[in-house]
Every structure is written in structure tokens, then in C-alpha cells.
Amino acid sequence: MDRRSFLRATLVAGGGLCLGFHLPGCGGRQKQMRDLAKQTGDLRPNMYITVKPNGRIELACNKAEMGQGTTTGYCMLVAEELEVPLDQVDCRFADSQPEYRTSFGMHQTGGSTSILEAYIPLRVAAASAREMLVAAAATTWSVPRAQCTAEAGQVKHAASGRALPYGQLTVDAAQQDIPDEPALKEPGQFKLVGKSSRRVDSRAKVDGTAPFGMDVSVPGMVRAYVIHGPVYGARPTSINADRAKAMPGIIDIFAFEWGVAVVADKYWQAKRAAGAVEVEWGKGHVEGLDSDAMKRQVRAWTIPGRSVRNDGDAEDVLKKTGMKVVEAAYEAPYLAHAPMEPMNCTVAVNGDTAEVWVPAQSPSVIQAFVGDVLGIPHEDVLVHITYMGGGFGRRGSGDYAAQAALIAKRVGRPVQMIWSRESDMTQAFYRPLSTIFMRGAVDDNGGVAAMRYHSLSQPISMHLFEFLGATTPRWMPGAWKRSLIRSAMGMFGSNSVPDLFAAEGAQDTPYRIKNVRVEYTPINSELPMCFWRSVGHSYNAFAIESFVDEMAHAAGQDPYRFRRQMLEPDSREMRVLDAVAKLSSWGQAAPDGYARGIARHTSFFSEAAQVIEAKVVDGRIDIRRVYCVIDCGVAVNPDLVAAQMESSIVYGLSAALRQEITIENGVVQQDNFDSFPALRMHDSPEIIVEVLPSDNKPTGAGEPGLPPAAPALANAIFAATGVRLRAMPLEKAWAAHQASKGGAS
Amino acid sequence: MKFKVNGQARDIDVPGDVELLWVLREELGLTGTKFGCGKALCGACTVHVDGEARRSCVTPVAEVEGKEITTIEGLAPGDELHPLQQAWIEENTPQCGYCQTGQIMTAASLLRVKAKPTDAEIDAAMSGNLCRCGTYQRIRKAIHRAATLSEEAK
């Protein structure tokens, strides 16, 4: 969004700027600003920035902090343009006010867009405040503005040696006009941006004071434990809670749409009593669902999918004689997100309104889920955001908030609902299961003449009812909205409109292949899906970059050079690929019997490439090192970008190696970190990251590091052992391969 | 039930089978210790009992009667930072931060018995603490840094 349209948008927001709630008829924004300054001494020229009379800067951040470092990045952008030290900025999470809906029409965090979205608007907001403070000082001193400078939280007039700290200028600054187009710094003038500053939230996170969802306490609050049924969506048909109700602290125990709520003064009381409740369950939404049967069915699929890309004539070329045809099918399982903090939500229902305290990625989506389940308008749900113990996309949904709201409504008191880890892992909203069929033709020159990519997966779009409900215009009547959304979901489900995410990373591949056909077929089930870090890229990159590797080997070529020749010369893709080859000393032998695999992927407007060194010893896949190069445009904080690469790689490799959600007869088979394990310190590889310098606007950093990891590993395993693993989790695929050979590892 | 928490004598009246984690969080308001799994699989709930790291989510409070418990809030006096906390900040170690107090408590109990641990000793001691944000190599680096900071302070 350019500066002009941003400013127009905030001017129109009007009443919502005044002390965080909507005051219709409050008058112009300038008047509000002046009234506030008169009352409190605060200078608040826009929805982001408040300059306090003590000189501290308060930033209202409309993004969640789930570890990606967005609060630090936003504070840095503000401190840069406002000319204050970084530690003079205090960051708080913005409540669900309408003016904060800056992301796809929502107040939300996801899609690796936080810095991209705010890079200009946030700096404009800070620069506006700076110019007003300078103007105020210049007026006070009766000197031209051009002679005054803002520096380290003060306005200075060098010629006369006078200086005033911002705190003393706030009221006068509020009398100034809010500038239309404040001057922004040129990149060459940056003092903070581009430096690896310390995170602004580290202190609170190491001393235990950072408040996460279940650390919230509101007056009159009680706690709830939920007993969920064995099959997703199962509703209790009868309960016997006589014994449980007699236990200490129990307030109520009742069946509701999603299970049994055990409500007590303290969570330990609720959890303890839950063990004494007897429940008989009705049928769930996915009775009889069997993920292995689904996989077998999909593997046997022969019907072509709906085309989402068709350059040239791949089918024709693949039939030609003289072509070396390579064929492979890649499989990826359902995955849970399993963030460290289990789902939880605190809700207070007050008649026709509700108030929510929640670690969530999208206040707008929470408003939609809670509003819909309570039958109240979304804007009558006020959402407060806390720190979040991991999101990864799971907290972009609001299903857990809806459950908490139902319980709170029934109990008539504020309720803090905390799910067990078992509920957290088994209550759906997974990364879709997928199978991808690939066929490619290598020509006489050793290049790729054609590639056909057919992806089968469950469409996420079918489960975005409340999500879409959060984005539709507020003027639209509820009935229209529901009808519109149902039609859209119907179109996704029937594949008349291909799912928005299913073929991402495949349909837009930058490899210069003349004949490319990408097809999609939806696999439908009633099990809700959700965004999982890097979404469709998480399985499409595994397929494409493993397959490109297979074609390279079929052509007898080096996998790095094979990829390189298919990329546009002097392109960003080529630069990043070259950089990782150099970083990893590609071409030289890796030490100690390790072998290298390479993969590259474009996602979220960024370029990432990785080389992984791995080998298999005594049946165990051993990863020594991951080299990662990222080009994400301007890196506001390079160290935090590197941290996101480390994070994506550990998260992605955990999944690639050993994670899957399987369902037997409707029952999810994994429910804690023993059955859904992750990498730990002793089996995590060393990760070396290079963040390429760039003058381009910032692009995604939270997710692009994930897609290349699984294929780079599979490619390394092939290089080390000659065994091509095409199904994740790879440890299971290795064991299956060994078993089929009938031998030991 | 009588025990000490962060140097203060406490007398808590709860059934003996209630897990220490919830006693700390709900009876004493010490919310720095976190709930992650309830089965001692993730380490987010780690506290010290008589100086040794314990997973409080599976420790019945009856087991700590008469003992001294230290939580993250009591790791360093007042507003001071333990060398581990200082090192964590210097290395930009935390991301979401939810596992980090448990990581620090486990690391602190390691440094008590081994002032300068090797990488292998760190891995062995810390492998019970999960981090879904993948901060392991920074945790390891921060533990080394803390060992150095402690040495310099002597």
C-alpha cells in the first residue's frame, strides 16, 4: 500500500482512534488528537503511535508475536523514523479495533506478510509524529523547521544550542497538522534497520513475566477442562458426572456440542475431576475415516485433475519416443502443528457482547468464530491478544475460541479454557495429506523437455468458513455472507474453482520448462484443515525438488548445475542457488561419509535454497549440517531473519523425518510428543544461514525457509545411499524400504 | 503441606496428588513455569527441587513436602539476571519463548554440576526440553556464553 492510500485509510478510520473504542460523531481526527493531548498529554496522530509525556513511545502492534520477531521488527521501523533509541519504544498488542484490519481485510498475522505490509505505512506513521514534534519545537523557538533536527528522542536547534525532549513537546505537537507525506529515510540513512538488534521481548521471555494465554487472569474467572470424544466432532449422548461433581472446586460439568466441559475454580480441580466423568459418545464427523485407506485410494487414482497451468503440450512431449521419461509419486501425511502452548482461550460473555483474551494470529477470525457461535455481530466481540507459544498457522483458526465461548455462555462467568495436549493434537485443523504424481521427460541435451505435475490433496479453502466470514464486508447481511461463503466452498470442494493453496509452489515454478502441465484434484473429507507453516509449499516443494533431482540423475548431471541451467540468467533464483552452492562448498566431498543434497524454492515472494549434509548409519538418518541462503529483500533485522531460517528448518525437518497424523476408524492415532515426536537438541543439525543483502522491499521470512528442507534431505539421502525416499515421514519410508529389501539397515 | 518456594516458606492445602506445576501456577500465582504436555515429554514445566531439575507436571505435590523449590522467578534475586538469562538475551535465543523458562531451569541445573560443559554434555542434559521454534543451537551457544560469564564474574 503506498503512503497516500495508507494515510487516507487512517483519516477515514476516524472514531476508532480515540482511546481504543469507537466514538461516532467524535469529530475530526485532528480534534480527537487535540482532545486526547489536552486530557492526558499523549500525542496520538494515528492508530500505531503514541508519544507519551514521559518521552516513551507506545506502539500499538496489530500483529501477533509468535516468535517470528515481528514486535522487534515493528519497534525498529518506528524507532528508525521517529529517531529514538530502540529501548524507548514500548510495544503492546492492538485490540480488535476495525482500523487494524490491514491484512487481506483482516486484523491477522500470517502468510509471512507482517514486515512486507508495514514497511512503508509504519514508517509513515512514525515519520508523521517526528515531523509534528519538530514543527512544535520550531514554533516554540520561532525558528524555521529546516533548522531543527530530531535525534535520540529530542528535537535540536544546532544554531542556538537548544533542545527539547519529545515528552515536553507532545501537547504542542498535537496542535500541528498531521502531515500528508512525511519524509522517509533513504536506506543509506538507516541507523537501525539492517542491524541485528536484540529482540525487544527477550527479557520478559527469560524471566517468566511474558504473559501467554493461560497466564491471563480476569476478575471472576473460572477454569475449564474439555473432554473431547475419540472421533473429531463427536457429541456426548450421555454423561455420568455424579462422582466428579462432588470433587473439590467443581462449579459445573455438562455436555456441549464439542464434548464435556468440566468447570472449576482452578484448572487442577477441573482436570482432576475429568478423570471421574463417564461419557457415552455419539458419532463424530469423521466416523470410519482411515488415512491409510485414503492414501491407497489416492495412489491408485488415474483420472486427470483440473489444469491450473498448461504451457506448451506436456502430454504430447511425454509420449514422444527418444525421451527419457521419469515417473514418481510423492506422499505427505496429515500433520498437526503441535506448538509448545496447547490451545487455550479466555472468554467473558456479557449479554449481547463478548470479550476474549487469547493467543491468536487473527483477532478478526476470533471475532467471527465467537460472534457466529454466540449469535452476535462480530464487531461486538472485543479481542485482546497475548504472547503466543507458537502459532504455525494453527492459531489462525478460532475453533478453540468458539468452544470457550459456548462454555462461558453456559457458565455465566469468564471462563479460561485450557486444552490438554491430547486435545490440542487430535482436534483436527491439520496440514492436508497429499499425493503428487510427477512425470518428466529429459531430452537428448540433458534438459527437461516436459513436466507433468498432478497434485491430490484436501483443499484448505473448504474449511475457511469463519475465515472468509472474517473478511467479507461488514455491511453485508449475515444471510448473504453465509450463502456467498457456502457457494465459494462448494466451488472449491467440487474443483470448479481450484483450491487457492493446493498447487502453490508448483503452478508458479520459475524453472524454464517449455511444456509444463500442473493439475489438481481435491480429496475431500470432513476433517477440518488449516494453514500449516508454508501451506501448499510444504508438500509441493518436496515433490518438485525431489523430482528435479531424479531427473538430474536420470540425465547424468550434477543436481546443482541441472537446476541452474533451467533458471533465468542473472535472476534472483539463480543468485540464491549459486550462493548456497558456494556456501556449502558444493562439488567438494563432505566430511565423514556425509553426502549433500540441494533444493531451492520460491515462496511468499522470497527465494530460499538449501544444501543438507546427511548419511544413514545403523538405520538412523543422521543430518550433520544445513546450509541455507535466503533473499527476502531488505532484512530489517538480519539475525532475526536467520533465526526464522533456523526455526523453519528445525520445524520442517521434524515433520519430514518423523511426524505424521494417521487416522484409523475415525480416531487420530497420535496425541502427544511421544507419538508425534520432534527434533531435539541432540539430533538437530548445525544450521548455517546467509541472508543475502538486497535493496528490494521486504518479502516473507517466517515460512520460506521450510519448503526446501525436506527435498534437500531426501536428495542428500539419495546421494549418500542410492535410495530414493518419496514418502514423508522419511524415517518410516527408510524403515519400509529396508523391510522390503528383507535386510537390516 | 509445607515446603519452600524461591526461599519463602509456604503452607498449601491441596490434595497430595495435585501436580506441582498447577500448585505453583494456580495456588502461588507463579506463572513463569509452563504447561506443555502433561507427561514429562517436553520439559516446559521444569523447576528445581532441592537444586535438581524436575518436571513439575508429573510431580505430585506430596513428593516435595519439606523440600526447597526454585522456579524461574527465583533463579536470580530480585530484578537481577542469572548469567543464563543474560546470555539468552545476548544471543537472541528466545522466539515464541514458551519453552525457554524450562530450558533455562534445566540448563541452570547442568551448570551447577558442570561449570563448563561440552557440547555433548549440553546435548545430553537438554534433550528432554523440546523447542518447536528450533532455537537449539542458540540455546547451546548461550549455555557456553553463560559458563564464560560466570567464570568472568569470579
Side-chain angles (χ1 to χ4, degrees), chain A residues 1 6 10 47-48 62-63 74 97-108 117-118 121 364:
Chain A
M1 186 192 270
F6 162 75
T10 52
M47 70 187 187
Y48 289 118
N62 63 335
K63 294 293 171 187
Y74 274 32
Q97 301 301 333
E99 62 267 27
Y100 293 112
R101 290 173 164 249
T102 55
S103 181
F104 309 108
M106 294 184 285
H107 178 172
Q108 77 93 34
E117 177 195 306
S364 302

Side-chain angles (χ1 to χ4, degrees), chain A residues 438-663:
Chain A
M438 301 210 62
R439 280 188 102 221
V442 178
D443 63 27
D444 291 334
N445 301 319
V448 178
M451 189 172 80
R452 182 177 170 255
Y453 178 103
H454 184 186
S455 164
L456 293 90
S457 65
Q458 191 168 331
I460 297 169
S461 307
M462 276 210 54
H463 302 275
L464 293 181
F465 185 91
E466 288 84 358
F467 215 90
L468 294 172
T471 64
T472 47
R474 279 169 292 134
W475 54 258
M476 190 180 282
W480 288 21
K481 212 186 278 196
R482 283 188 289 279
S483 165
L484 179 70
I485 296 168
R486 281 197 214 287
S487 312
M489 283 168 41
M491 289 196 284
F492 292 130
S494 65
N495 209 19
S496 30
V497 174
D499 179 76
L500 303 169
F501 311 97
E504 61 182 357
Q507 68 191 99
D508 45 357
T509 178
Y511 288 125
R512 294 176 304 163
I513 303 169
K514 267 227 214 90
N515 305 285
V516 175
R517 187 175 170 83
V518 179
E519 294 169 12
Y520 174 65
T521 300
I523 307 169
N524 290 324
S525 88
E526 289 303 308
L527 195 63
M529 299 291 111
C530 184
F531 303 104
W532 186 97
R533 196 174 196 172
S534 80
V535 199
H537 297 281
S538 70
Y539 43 85
N540 289 323
F542 174 62
I544 283 214
E545 283 296 295
S546 293
F547 191 68
V548 166
D549 218 64
E550 294 204 50
M551 287 200 287
H553 288 289
Q557 290 198 27
D558 171 273
Y560 156 55
R561 304 221 169 272
F562 187 75
R563 285 170 170 78
R564 193 177 196 278
Q565 83 197 9
M566 290 198 286
L567 295 172
E568 195 69 40
D570 291 326
S571 62
R572 200 166 71 140
E573 299 92 56
M574 186 180 275
R575 273 199 298 279
V576 169
L577 184 68
D578 286 344
V580 83
K582 185 161 176 227
L583 183 66
S584 63
S585 304
W586 185 271
Q588 294 173 29
D592 298 331
Y594 288 95
R596 295 198 178 104
I598 192 167
R600 56 148 302 282
H601 199 70
T602 311
S603 64
F604 307 97
F605 309 110
S606 292
E607 286 296 319
Q610 287 167 15
V611 168
I612 294 188
E613 291 171 353
K615 65 181 174 184
V616 183
V617 179
D618 296 332
R620 200 177 62 83
I621 298 171
D622 175 354
I623 309 172
R624 174 180 181 256
R625 206 180 255 185
V626 181
Y627 300 91
C628 177
V629 175
I630 177 75
D631 180 334
C632 58
V634 167
V636 172
N637 188 319
D639 191 44
L640 297 194
V641 170
Q644 284 312 287
M645 295 307 115
E646 293 159 28
S647 182
S648 294
I649 287 163
V650 174
Y651 197 82
L653 288 178
S654 291
L657 276 167
R658 60 186 65 144
Q659 288 176 350
E660 60 177 346
I661 290 290
T662 56
I663 302 153

Side-chain angles (χ1 to χ4, degrees), chain A residues 196-220:
Chain A
S196 294
S197 313
R198 287 189 187 171
R199 295 182 69 108
V200 301
D201 54 354
S202 284
R203 171 73 200 235
K205 288 176 176 177
V206 302
D207 69 12
T209 59
F212 293 86
M214 44 181 115
D215 303 328
V216 164
S217 185
V218 302

Side-chain angles (χ1 to χ4, degrees), chain A residues 215 267-268 647 679-680, chain B residues 25-27 34 41 133 136:
Chain A
D215 303 328
Y267 186 68
W268 67 257
S647 182
L679 284 179
R680 293 172 179 270
Chain B
R25 288 184 58 83
E26 296 197 285
E27 301 301 320
K34 304 301 183 192
L41 294 167
C133 297
Y136 298 124

Side-chain angles (χ1 to χ4, degrees), chain A residues 5-47:
Chain A
S5 41
F6 162 75
L7 285 164
R8 226 172 278 132
T10 52
L11 281 167
V12 158
L17 294 172
C18 196
L19 294 168
F21 56 93
H22 189 79
L23 289 176
C26 196
R29 202 163 68 107
Q30 300 261 172
K31 182 180 185 302
Q32 273 185 18
M33 179 178 61
R34 280 163 202 158
D35 288 346
L36 178 67
K38 207 159 147 199
Q39 281 169 45
T40 64
D42 290 350
L43 169 67
R44 194 167 186 223
N46 54 61
M47 70 187 187

